[in-house]
């Protein structure tokens, strides 16, 4: 378990367009401690809603101005206080790198478990599990998947939220084009949004998105905020809603 309390414990940054990094079979499932429980004695934060507190710790990170390609395969990632796999392939007007998260397992991280962006970035064949509450020392929510910007695909992926505290799959306003295919979501015991699509998203296509609500009755309004531009094969508890 990482116990230093620094921001980027494991940074993989393909800086130039020609650069490529492959991270395969990395085991960081024991995660890290929240800032307050580490030897980090900083008491400052560079702005934002948590001013006055040091930034928490992520699992795998990139740099916002990255230009190259990062591919992660068969990574086991869990229990990080500030995002688990936090690989944003550049931000608009700053970088246009590509990230690929393939056949990975992520669990129990705040604020997101897999968080991507960039050009032609992908999450494929992954599983996200939320079955432990991390606590409220820094963030509270544990979003399984978050897409920040660029053009991104999420395919053949399973989300299991036994202790849901965050939206299952979020497509944020910086995304120009999102494609979601064959994604299954299980949400246990209490209401939680399964799919959030911001109004500012350029285009969102969903073909295959199934939601199971176990221990509560999920409805369209309780599971979806915003709606894809193209919506196919979307179901709730086995009943088609699109």
């Amino acid at each position: 378990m990482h116990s230093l309390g620094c921001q980027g414990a494991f940074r993989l940054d393909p800086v130039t367009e020609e650069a490529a990094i492959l991270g395969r079979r990395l085991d960081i499932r024991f995660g890290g401690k929240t800032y307050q429980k580490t030897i980090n004695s900083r008491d400052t934060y560079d702005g934002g809603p948590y001013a006055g507190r040091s930034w928490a710790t992520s699992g795998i990170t990139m740099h916002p101005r990255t230009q190259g390609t990062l591919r992660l395969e068969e990574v086991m990632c869990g229990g990080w206080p500030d995002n688990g796999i936090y690989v944003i392939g550049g931000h608009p007007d700053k970088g246009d790198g590509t990230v690929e998260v393939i056949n990975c397992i992520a669990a129990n991280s705040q604020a997101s478990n897999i968080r991507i962006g960039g050009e032609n970035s992908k999450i494929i064949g992954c599983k996200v599990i939320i079955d432990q509450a991390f606590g409220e020392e820094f963030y509270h929510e544990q979003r399984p998947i978050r897409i920040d910007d660029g053009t991104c695909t999420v395919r053949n992926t399973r989300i299991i939220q036994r202790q849901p505290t965050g939206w299952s799959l979020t497509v944020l306003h910086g995304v120009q084009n999102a494609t979601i295919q064959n994604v299954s979501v299980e949400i246990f015991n209490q209401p939680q949004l399964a799919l959030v699509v911001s109004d500012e998203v350029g285009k969102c296509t969903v073909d295959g998105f199934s939601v199971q609500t176990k221990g509560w009755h999920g409805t369209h309004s309780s599971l979806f905020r915003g709606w894809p531009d193209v919506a196919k094969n979307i179901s709730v508890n086995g009943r088609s809603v699109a």
Side-chain angles (χ1 to χ4, degrees):
M1 176 177 282
H2 184 79
S3 60
L4 294 179
C6 63
Q7 297 175 13
F10 198 156
R11 174 163 284 185
L12 302 176
D13 183 20
V15 178
T16 65
E17 292 183 4
E18 297 78 19
I21 295 175
L22 171 62
R24 178 183 290 154
R25 297 180 182 173
L26 305 175
D27 186 350
I28 54 172
R29 59 184 146 168
F30 295 104
K33 295 182 179 180
T34 57
Y35 152 67
Q36 295 88 342
K37 297 177 181 177
T38 72
I39 65 172
N40 188 338
S41 60
R42 288 179 298 162
D43 59 1
T44 59
Y45 178 75
D46 56 354
Y50 300 96
R53 305 167 72 177
S54 180
W55 210 347
T57 303
S58 295
I60 298 176
T61 61
M62 293 177 74
H63 190 280
R65 291 180 176 83
T66 191
Q67 297 288 325
T69 298
L70 170 63
R71 182 181 176 96
L72 300 175
E73 296 179 355
E74 301 176 35
V75 172
M76 293 185 291
C77 178
W80 292 88
D82 184 60
N83 300 287
I85 299 174
Y86 184 11
V87 286
I88 301 299
H91 288 325
D93 302 322
K94 294 182 180 180
D96 55 1
T98 298
V99 297
E100 299 176 339
V101 184
I102 311 296
N103 297 332
C104 296
I105 299 174
N108 300 323
S109 289
Q110 307 175 135
S112 303
N113 283 264
I114 305 178
R115 181 174 172 181
I116 70 168
E119 183 177 5
N120 296 321
S121 295
K122 302 174 179 67
I123 299 171
I124 298 176
C126 292
K127 181 185 288 186
V128 181
I129 302 167
I130 309 296
D131 60 5
Q132 296 179 18
F134 202 98
E136 300 184 11
E137 289 90 349
F138 200 78
Y139 296 113
H140 170 65
E141 65 182 5
Q142 295 168 267
R143 296 189 198 182
I145 294 177
R146 171 173 165 171
I147 303 173
D148 276 33
D149 56 59
T151 55
C152 300
T153 296
V154 182
R155 182 185 304 135
N156 299 339
T157 290
R158 184 180 180 189
I159 296 170
I160 304 169
Q161 293 172 275
R162 295 188 179 277
Q163 294 192 32
T165 61
W167 306 336
S168 305
L169 199 161
T170 307
V171 185
L172 288 181
H173 55 82
V175 175
Q176 287 92 52
N177 197 324
T179 301
I180 300 166
Q181 298 175 317
N182 191 26
V183 172
S184 67
V185 178
E186 298 171 59
I187 306 174
F188 287 74
N189 300 326
Q190 62 186 43
Q192 186 60 257
L193 288 167
L195 178 63
V196 174
V197 181
S198 297
D199 293 338
E200 296 83 0
V201 171
K203 183 177 181 180
C204 180
T205 300
V206 176
D207 186 358
F209 190 87
S210 65
V211 184
Q212 294 284 333
T213 61
K214 301 185 178 182
W216 65 286
H217 177 64
T219 64
H220 190 285
S221 60
S222 65
L223 290 167
F224 300 95
R225 178 182 295 175
W227 194 246
D229 300 281
V230 179
K232 300 179 181 179
N233 300 314
I234 300 177
S235 65
V236 176
N237 296 323
R239 301 185 64 178
S240 175
V241 296

